Amino acid sequence: GESVGLHLPTLSVQEGDNSIINCAYSNSASDYFIWYKQESGKGPQFIIDIRSNMDKRQGQRVTVLLNKTVKHLSLQIAATQPGDSAVYFCAEFETGGGNKLTFGTGTQLKVEL
Amino acid sequence: EPEVTQTPSHQVTQMGQEVILRCVPISNHLYFYWYRQILGQKVEFLVSFYNNEISEKSEIFDDQFSVERPDGSNFTLKIRSTKLEDSAMYFCASSGPSGLAGGSWPKNIQYFGAGTRLSVL
């Protein structure tokens, strides 16, 4: 079946470094993608989104890149801070596909001081 | 900042009992959802709700599950006869400010509550 998956389950970075979290998706009909951050004991928190007609979108310290050719998403976090430590999920959405998000398995980001 | 609120934060129940999980979505949103997350696993879609009816449901959402919007602010998930495998975090989400129609972009951003941890013993 269709799935959204992540390349790495855990990513450790030094404080101040840039982080790159990757995500592969397989539903070619997905036309909208969201990155969520989930801290321990909390619900997913919206970070940034991107539509399939874009290949890059920037927010505050975060950038999402979309490569539709290889069905790949990445989340770049600049100057990673201890507060960025969390699990990051990509989620895909297909317009007309029932208004549901399909989540990937998550990447644990650990920021080392 | 508006947020989705869920109660209780933790619900413990005996197998076979009924539970109702409660959510107050963001006030001007029109689309409501329930997801669940088994410990250590990914977030899974259960059901979406719009205009007082279910718009989509997953295979997980069987006859033991139901949703209701009993008034203008609450959105509930009921599990009629809980099973051990229903133990999970249940997240409510909402999206879609009023006034936006069709596939407009802001509708798709789903905002999540902090979740209810359901423990079935």
Side-chain angles (χ1 to χ4, degrees), chain B residues 73-88:
Chain B
S73 61
N74 292 284
F75 180 52
T76 62
L77 174 69
K78 181 192 291 185
I79 309 175
R80 291 188 182 81
S81 178
T82 50
K83 303 185 287 287
L84 294 176
E85 53 265 39
D86 294 328
S87 295

PDB file of all heavy atoms in Angstrom, chain B residues 73-88:
ATOM      1  N   SER B  73     -19.271  23.233  20.368  1.00  0.00           N
ATOM      2  CA  SER B  73     -17.864  23.340  20.741  1.00  0.00           C
ATOM      3  C   SER B  73     -17.161  22.002  20.942  1.00  0.00           C
ATOM      4  O   SER B  73     -15.956  21.916  20.758  1.00  0.00           O
ATOM      5  CB  SER B  73     -17.716  24.181  22.015  1.00  0.00           C
ATOM      6  OG  SER B  73     -18.399  23.582  23.091  1.00  0.00           O
ATOM      7  N   ASN B  74     -17.878  20.956  21.319  1.00  0.00           N
ATOM      8  CA  ASN B  74     -17.229  19.690  21.640  1.00  0.00           C
ATOM      9  C   ASN B  74     -17.257  18.712  20.475  1.00  0.00           C
ATOM     10  O   ASN B  74     -18.161  18.720  19.641  1.00  0.00           O
ATOM     11  CB  ASN B  74     -17.924  19.046  22.846  1.00  0.00           C
ATOM     12  CG  ASN B  74     -17.689  19.828  24.117  1.00  0.00           C
ATOM     13  OD1 ASN B  74     -16.616  19.772  24.693  1.00  0.00           O
ATOM     14  ND2 ASN B  74     -18.691  20.584  24.542  1.00  0.00           N
ATOM     15  N   PHE B  75     -16.252  17.849  20.465  1.00  0.00           N
ATOM     16  CA  PHE B  75     -16.151  16.775  19.471  1.00  0.00           C
ATOM     17  C   PHE B  75     -15.671  15.554  20.241  1.00  0.00           C
ATOM     18  O   PHE B  75     -14.624  15.601  20.895  1.00  0.00           O
ATOM     19  CB  PHE B  75     -15.167  17.179  18.373  1.00  0.00           C
ATOM     20  CG  PHE B  75     -14.973  16.161  17.279  1.00  0.00           C
ATOM     21  CD1 PHE B  75     -16.047  15.618  16.603  1.00  0.00           C
ATOM     22  CD2 PHE B  75     -13.690  15.772  16.904  1.00  0.00           C
ATOM     23  CE1 PHE B  75     -15.868  14.694  15.587  1.00  0.00           C
ATOM     24  CE2 PHE B  75     -13.499  14.851  15.889  1.00  0.00           C
ATOM     25  CZ  PHE B  75     -14.593  14.301  15.230  1.00  0.00           C
ATOM     26  N   THR B  76     -16.452  14.478  20.209  1.00  0.00           N
ATOM     27  CA  THR B  76     -16.132  13.335  21.052  1.00  0.00           C
ATOM     28  C   THR B  76     -15.863  12.084  20.234  1.00  0.00           C
ATOM     29  O   THR B  76     -16.398  11.902  19.125  1.00  0.00           O
ATOM     30  CB  THR B  76     -17.286  13.036  22.042  1.00  0.00           C
ATOM     31  OG1 THR B  76     -18.458  12.696  21.311  1.00  0.00           O
ATOM     32  CG2 THR B  76     -17.548  14.232  22.938  1.00  0.00           C
ATOM     33  N   LEU B  77     -15.045  11.219  20.820  1.00  0.00           N
ATOM     34  CA  LEU B  77     -14.784   9.890  20.281  1.00  0.00           C
ATOM     35  C   LEU B  77     -15.233   8.886  21.333  1.00  0.00           C
ATOM     36  O   LEU B  77     -14.775   8.944  22.472  1.00  0.00           O
ATOM     37  CB  LEU B  77     -13.301   9.701  19.976  1.00  0.00           C
ATOM     38  CG  LEU B  77     -12.872   8.294  19.548  1.00  0.00           C
ATOM     39  CD1 LEU B  77     -13.423   7.949  18.159  1.00  0.00           C
ATOM     40  CD2 LEU B  77     -11.340   8.173  19.539  1.00  0.00           C
ATOM     41  N   LYS B  78     -16.122   7.982  20.947  1.00  0.00           N
ATOM     42  CA  LYS B  78     -16.592   6.952  21.856  1.00  0.00           C
ATOM     43  C   LYS B  78     -16.102   5.596  21.389  1.00  0.00           C
ATOM     44  O   LYS B  78     -16.196   5.265  20.202  1.00  0.00           O
ATOM     45  CB  LYS B  78     -18.125   6.946  21.922  1.00  0.00           C
ATOM     46  CG  LYS B  78     -18.688   5.893  22.871  1.00  0.00           C
ATOM     47  CD  LYS B  78     -20.192   5.694  22.713  1.00  0.00           C
ATOM     48  CE  LYS B  78     -20.987   6.860  23.179  1.00  0.00           C
ATOM     49  NZ  LYS B  78     -22.450   6.586  23.130  1.00  0.00           N
ATOM     50  N   ILE B  79     -15.600   4.836  22.335  1.00  0.00           N
ATOM     51  CA  ILE B  79     -15.273   3.431  22.077  1.00  0.00           C
ATOM     52  C   ILE B  79     -16.221   2.623  22.938  1.00  0.00           C
ATOM     53  O   ILE B  79     -16.193   2.726  24.168  1.00  0.00           O
ATOM     54  CB  ILE B  79     -13.806   3.105  22.409  1.00  0.00           C
ATOM     55  CG1 ILE B  79     -12.855   4.098  21.739  1.00  0.00           C
ATOM     56  CG2 ILE B  79     -13.471   1.683  21.950  1.00  0.00           C
ATOM     57  CD1 ILE B  79     -11.391   3.906  22.124  1.00  0.00           C
ATOM     58  N   ARG B  80     -17.057   1.829  22.323  1.00  0.00           N
ATOM     59  CA  ARG B  80     -18.151   1.174  23.041  1.00  0.00           C
ATOM     60  C   ARG B  80     -17.680   0.077  23.980  1.00  0.00           C
ATOM     61  O   ARG B  80     -18.117  -0.022  25.107  1.00  0.00           O
ATOM     62  CB  ARG B  80     -19.166   0.585  22.055  1.00  0.00           C
ATOM     63  CG  ARG B  80     -19.943   1.629  21.316  1.00  0.00           C
ATOM     64  CD  ARG B  80     -21.063   1.031  20.485  1.00  0.00           C
ATOM     65  NE  ARG B  80     -21.767   2.075  19.735  1.00  0.00           N
ATOM     66  CZ  ARG B  80     -21.348   2.605  18.597  1.00  0.00           C
ATOM     67  NH1 ARG B  80     -20.254   2.151  18.044  1.00  0.00           N
ATOM     68  NH2 ARG B  80     -22.025   3.561  18.001  1.00  0.00           N
ATOM     69  N   SER B  81     -16.818  -0.763  23.525  1.00  0.00           N
ATOM     70  CA  SER B  81     -16.350  -1.891  24.323  1.00  0.00           C
ATOM     71  C   SER B  81     -14.848  -2.010  24.105  1.00  0.00           C
ATOM     72  O   SER B  81     -14.394  -2.595  23.124  1.00  0.00           O
ATOM     73  CB  SER B  81     -17.064  -3.175  23.902  1.00  0.00           C
ATOM     74  OG  SER B  81     -16.584  -4.282  24.642  1.00  0.00           O
ATOM     75  N   THR B  82     -14.092  -1.416  25.010  1.00  0.00           N
ATOM     76  CA  THR B  82     -12.656  -1.305  24.787  1.00  0.00           C
ATOM     77  C   THR B  82     -11.949  -2.653  24.826  1.00  0.00           C
ATOM     78  O   THR B  82     -12.325  -3.565  25.566  1.00  0.00           O
ATOM     79  CB  THR B  82     -12.028  -0.378  25.839  1.00  0.00           C
ATOM     80  OG1 THR B  82     -12.449  -0.790  27.148  1.00  0.00           O
ATOM     81  CG2 THR B  82     -12.439   1.069  25.608  1.00  0.00           C
ATOM     82  N   LYS B  83     -10.916  -2.729  24.015  1.00  0.00           N
ATOM     83  CA  LYS B  83     -10.052  -3.904  23.968  1.00  0.00           C
ATOM     84  C   LYS B  83      -8.649  -3.494  24.404  1.00  0.00           C
ATOM     85  O   LYS B  83      -8.304  -2.309  24.379  1.00  0.00           O
ATOM     86  CB  LYS B  83     -10.013  -4.482  22.553  1.00  0.00           C
ATOM     87  CG  LYS B  83     -11.383  -4.857  21.996  1.00  0.00           C
ATOM     88  CD  LYS B  83     -11.277  -5.545  20.646  1.00  0.00           C
ATOM     89  CE  LYS B  83     -10.923  -4.613  19.546  1.00  0.00           C
ATOM     90  NZ  LYS B  83     -12.067  -3.747  19.184  1.00  0.00           N
ATOM     91  N   LEU B  84      -7.863  -4.481  24.769  1.00  0.00           N
ATOM     92  CA  LEU B  84      -6.496  -4.186  25.204  1.00  0.00           C
ATOM     93  C   LEU B  84      -5.735  -3.412  24.126  1.00  0.00           C
ATOM     94  O   LEU B  84      -4.971  -2.488  24.433  1.00  0.00           O
ATOM     95  CB  LEU B  84      -5.747  -5.478  25.535  1.00  0.00           C
ATOM     96  CG  LEU B  84      -6.263  -6.275  26.724  1.00  0.00           C
ATOM     97  CD1 LEU B  84      -5.473  -7.587  26.870  1.00  0.00           C
ATOM     98  CD2 LEU B  84      -6.180  -5.470  28.010  1.00  0.00           C
ATOM     99  N   GLU B  85      -5.961  -3.784  22.877  1.00  0.00           N
ATOM    100  CA  GLU B  85      -5.227  -3.153  21.786  1.00  0.00           C
ATOM    101  C   GLU B  85      -5.691  -1.732  21.475  1.00  0.00           C
ATOM    102  O   GLU B  85      -5.124  -1.065  20.609  1.00  0.00           O
ATOM    103  CB  GLU B  85      -5.300  -4.025  20.522  1.00  0.00           C
ATOM    104  CG  GLU B  85      -6.699  -4.406  20.096  1.00  0.00           C
ATOM    105  CD  GLU B  85      -7.124  -5.778  20.623  1.00  0.00           C
ATOM    106  OE1 GLU B  85      -6.788  -6.122  21.786  1.00  0.00           O
ATOM    107  OE2 GLU B  85      -7.816  -6.483  19.877  1.00  0.00           O
ATOM    108  N   ASP B  86      -6.713  -1.260  22.157  1.00  0.00           N
ATOM    109  CA  ASP B  86      -7.119   0.135  22.013  1.00  0.00           C
ATOM    110  C   ASP B  86      -6.244   1.071  22.834  1.00  0.00           C
ATOM    111  O   ASP B  86      -6.347   2.301  22.707  1.00  0.00           O
ATOM    112  CB  ASP B  86      -8.585   0.324  22.432  1.00  0.00           C
ATOM    113  CG  ASP B  86      -9.564  -0.382  21.512  1.00  0.00           C
ATOM    114  OD1 ASP B  86      -9.268  -0.484  20.303  1.00  0.00           O
ATOM    115  OD2 ASP B  86     -10.611  -0.842  22.005  1.00  0.00           O
ATOM    116  N   SER B  87      -5.397   0.503  23.664  1.00  0.00           N
ATOM    117  CA  SER B  87      -4.485   1.339  24.465  1.00  0.00           C
ATOM    118  C   SER B  87      -3.562   2.120  23.536  1.00  0.00           C
ATOM    119  O   SER B  87      -2.847   1.538  22.720  1.00  0.00           O
ATOM    120  CB  SER B  87      -3.661   0.471  25.409  1.00  0.00           C
ATOM    121  OG  SER B  87      -4.481  -0.157  26.357  1.00  0.00           O
ATOM    122  N   ALA B  88      -3.591   3.435  23.664  1.00  0.00           N
ATOM    123  CA  ALA B  88      -2.830   4.305  22.769  1.00  0.00           C
ATOM    124  C   ALA B  88      -3.037   5.751  23.208  1.00  0.00           C
ATOM    125  O   ALA B  88      -3.851   6.037  24.090  1.00  0.00           O
ATOM    126  CB  ALA B  88      -3.293   4.140  21.322  1.00  0.00           C
TER     127      ALA B  88
END
